[in-house]
Amino acid sequence: MNAHDSEKVIGTLMAQGYAQVATPEDARLVLYNTCSIRDKAEQKVFNRLQNFKREAGKGKIFGVLGCVAQQEGEKIFDRAPHVSLVAGSASYTRLGEMLVQLEAGNRRVTGLSLDTDETFDTPFTRRDNPHRAYITIIEGCDKHCAYCVVPFTRGPERSRTSQSVMAEAGRLAAAGYTEIQLLGQNVNSYRDPSAAGWDFAELLARVAEVPGIRRVRYTTSHPRDFGKSIVEAMDGNHAICDHVHLPVQSGSTRMLAAMDRLYTRDDYMRRIEWIKAARRRYAITTDIIVGFPGETEEDFAETLNLLDEVQYASLFSFKYSPRPNTAALDRGDRIPDEEKQRRLIILQEKQRAIQIRQNAALIGDIQEVLVEGRHQALGQWIGRTSDNRTLNFTHQDSGNTGDLNGRYLSVRVTRSGPNSLVGESVTVV
Ligand code: SAM
Ligand code: SF4
């Protein structure tokens, strides 16, 4: 989502006559888009700001955007006095105006209000990937998970109209994009504010019908709002990829309650059963936090046995990081960092063993990949399967391979590792 915010900011500035340069050294204006989801990400921003200023930042204008900007606000001016602009994502519609103030010589400009019902719809977006395009469908978050800073940095939920999303999807298809990824902190709570009144399942199904779009992905789902109609929409159209990312955070109902996640382990497992009972085979992935305050060995053991039960295709795992403003910040029962680290390693090793087994079972399968790049040294193309695995492959084409990037090919899986597959192309689709 942050990467796509950057694409939209760059597009907006280019539309106003700014030009993007190749390196920060060449720039007169340097904008840092920031993440504050965990403490480490936040620290990085200040380190980079200091280092760059020292080495090459003389005479430049600096701005801090994104969640650290929203969270720290004007305190950033004290910590990094060379910064002139501080703006959170809910103020990006005013960016042009703020830059005009800077150009006029204003030394301190801020955009920090969260009181908005606007979404950041951009007429022009400077996209990094020529084949896959992101579309934000909903901004902000109305949940209040006890560990999470997002509602404080991105503001309340605001959905875009279905007309605006469909128009963007149509423009992308016309421009040659074949894969669309719908984005939001909780895409499942998408509610079309226009008279059409689509919910997320309807929007997903309609985007998948746009001529020229061969793949549709979406992220992220909140289990509480993940309805059966989403699985039905997925089953109904092969363009919707064979992958569901359903963050669980913990396998312990007690911890889920402490986290304010609004579902139990049983509620979560019901959704997994819908996905597993579907007509197609879907890869399921998740996010897990270890060491949330009060997490006992028993709670952690429940997370481990959830991995056995669900058999995730992969997962993102994090050590709990206390965040400002959040409900869990002042709770006791803090888990020491060494213990969090120990749990993280156990979790990751268990998942690695599952992935080794799961990926080995795919040997011999033929899968369609979208070609995303090339490993020159290995003589392999990099492909992505519909279920979001990396499948690197060799391609024999009467000695003249040409550029396969952006093409869809069928590839037979011949080898597997914990994090990727290797294969050879069979036919050009
Ligand atoms: N909205 C999504 C959801 O509900 O799952 C994703 C939110 S966040 C950008 C991505 C992941 O970061 C979360 O699923 C969670 O696992 C992790 N995360 C968020 N806050 C955290 C914190 N304070 N400490 C550790 N991990 C955190
Ligand atoms: Fe954060 Fe929870 Fe909202 Fe996800 S649903 S962004 S974890 S508050």
Side-chain angles (χ1 to χ4, degrees):
M1 180 158 272
N2 251 16
H4 182 48
D5 278 353
S6 293
E7 292 182 335
K8 292 200 285 186
V9 166
I10 295 167
T12 304
L13 299 191
M14 286 172 77
Q16 291 180 18
Y18 288 84
Q20 198 182 1
V21 291
T23 66
E25 285 73 18
D26 296 337
R28 279 199 50 236
L29 168 69
V30 181
L31 299 177
Y32 287 82
N33 188 10
T34 62
C35 172
S36 68
I37 197 74
R38 285 172 294 280
D39 187 50
K40 215 158 136 192
E42 189 185 319
Q43 290 313 322
K44 238 194 246 174
V45 179
F46 288 102
N47 293 342
R48 289 217 190 148
L49 269 170
Q50 293 311 339
N51 290 343
F52 187 66
K53 162 77 177 164
R54 249 195 316 269
E55 285 161 23
K58 310 274 174 333
K60 298 183 195 299
I61 300 174
F62 289 92
V64 178
L65 308 180
C67 291
V68 175
Q70 188 66 51
Q71 181 186 293
E72 297 299 303
E74 297 189 3
K75 280 188 270 171
I76 292 179
F77 295 136
D78 302 331
R79 240 172 121 174
H82 56 296
V83 170
S84 309
L85 168 74
V86 173
S89 62
S91 303
Y92 289 169
T93 44
R94 288 187 39 237
L95 254 186
E97 208 181 291
M98 290 188 266
L99 290 174
V100 170
Q101 290 180 36
L102 281 183
E103 300 262 350
N106 227 324
R107 269 289 293 127
R108 299 265 146 106
V109 180
T110 55
L112 295 169
S113 170
L114 286 178
D115 182 17
T116 179
D117 49 14
E118 279 183 352
T119 51
F120 183 39
D121 296 8
T122 48
F124 175 66
T125 299
R126 220 275 296 121
R127 296 180 185 274
D128 287 334
N129 185 308
H131 315 295
R132 174 193 306 137
Y134 297 107
I135 302 183
T136 307
I137 61 166
I138 178 168
E139 294 176 21
C141 184
D142 282 350
K143 296 277 187 291
H144 39 75
C145 303
Y147 52 81
C148 184
V149 80
V150 168
F152 305 97
T153 57
R154 287 186 174 269
E157 274 176 3
R158 290 98 69 200
S159 293
R160 269 173 78 178
T161 63
S162 56
Q163 291 85 344
S164 139
V165 173
M166 293 305 291
E168 189 166 359
R171 283 197 302 273
L172 289 167
Y177 290 90
T178 58
E179 181 175 317
I180 283 178
Q181 185 155 350
L182 303 177
L183 292 180
Q185 291 301 334
N186 178 6
V187 288
N188 311 142
S189 62
Y190 174 81
R191 285 287 169 280
D192 181 1
S194 75
W198 294 355
D199 64 5
F200 175 64
E202 173 97 42
L203 182 76
L204 183 63
R206 299 290 187 111
V207 171
E209 284 166 6
V210 172
I213 296 303
R214 294 182 62 160
R215 286 185 171 183
V216 181
R217 301 183 187 278
Y218 60 93
T219 194
T220 294
S221 285
H222 188 291
R224 155 90 167 221
D225 304 325
F226 185 88
K228 215 173 188 173
S229 58
I230 298 175
V231 182
E232 283 156 11
M234 294 179 78
D235 267 348
N237 192 326
H238 272 267
I240 306 174
C241 288
D242 303 344
H243 173 210
V244 181
H245 183 63
L246 200 58
V248 66
Q249 315 300 355
S250 169
S252 149
T253 293
R254 205 181 72 84
M255 277 297 104
L256 291 172
M259 290 175 172
D260 262 328
R261 283 291 285 179
L262 309 175
Y263 55 85
T264 62
R265 177 178 172 132
D266 285 349
D267 297 332
Y268 183 83
M269 284 310 299
R270 207 163 315 124
R271 276 122 184 108
I272 297 294
E273 278 151 27
W274 297 339
I275 299 167
K276 288 193 172 168
R279 284 203 291 277
R280 275 191 279 150
R281 184 179 66 181
Y282 296 105
I284 305 170
T285 58
T286 201
D287 294 350
I288 286 177
I289 297 176
V290 297
F292 186 77
E295 185 188 63
T296 61
E297 267 305 322
E298 290 71 37
D299 294 314
F300 179 57
E302 290 200 46
T303 298
L304 293 178
N305 71 37
L306 184 79
L307 265 51
D308 288 326
E309 208 172 327
V310 178
Q311 296 286 311
Y312 291 110
S314 74
L315 58 78
F316 296 103
S317 50
F318 311 101
K319 290 190 279 185
Y320 167 69
S321 167
R323 304 312 294 130
N325 304 313
T326 57
L329 181 65
D330 298 321
R331 289 196 191 154
D333 288 343
R334 286 279 180 85
I335 312 286
D337 192 59
E338 314 78 71
E339 180 57 20
K340 287 191 217 168
Q341 184 65 26
R342 188 187 73 85
R343 292 182 192 181
L344 190 73
I345 290 170
I346 295 172
L347 182 85
Q348 290 176 343
E349 279 175 358
K350 182 167 191 69
Q351 179 58 25
R352 186 180 154 87
I354 290 173
Q355 285 175 211
I356 289 173
R357 274 200 307 277
Q358 227 180 64
N359 287 346
L362 296 174
I363 292 175
D365 266 21
I366 293 179
Q367 304 231 358
E368 185 188 68
V369 299
L370 166 60
V371 185
E372 294 189 333
R374 184 163 168 81
H375 274 305
Q376 210 57 42
L378 297 175
Q380 288 175 345
W381 291 95
I382 303 166
R384 182 155 304 273
T385 63
S386 169
D387 69 1
N388 210 32
R389 287 176 222 263
T390 302
L391 170 47
N392 298 326
F393 65 98
T394 49
H395 177 73
Q396 258 72 41
D397 183 14
S398 40
N400 177 19
T401 305
D403 185 3
L404 298 182
N405 280 310
R407 293 197 24 209
Y408 287 82
L409 302 180
S410 288
V411 175
R412 178 181 292 107
V413 179
T414 54
R415 279 184 290 138
S416 69
N419 297 313
S420 63
L421 304 167
V422 178
E424 51 200 25
S425 64
V426 286
T427 46
V428 177
V429 179

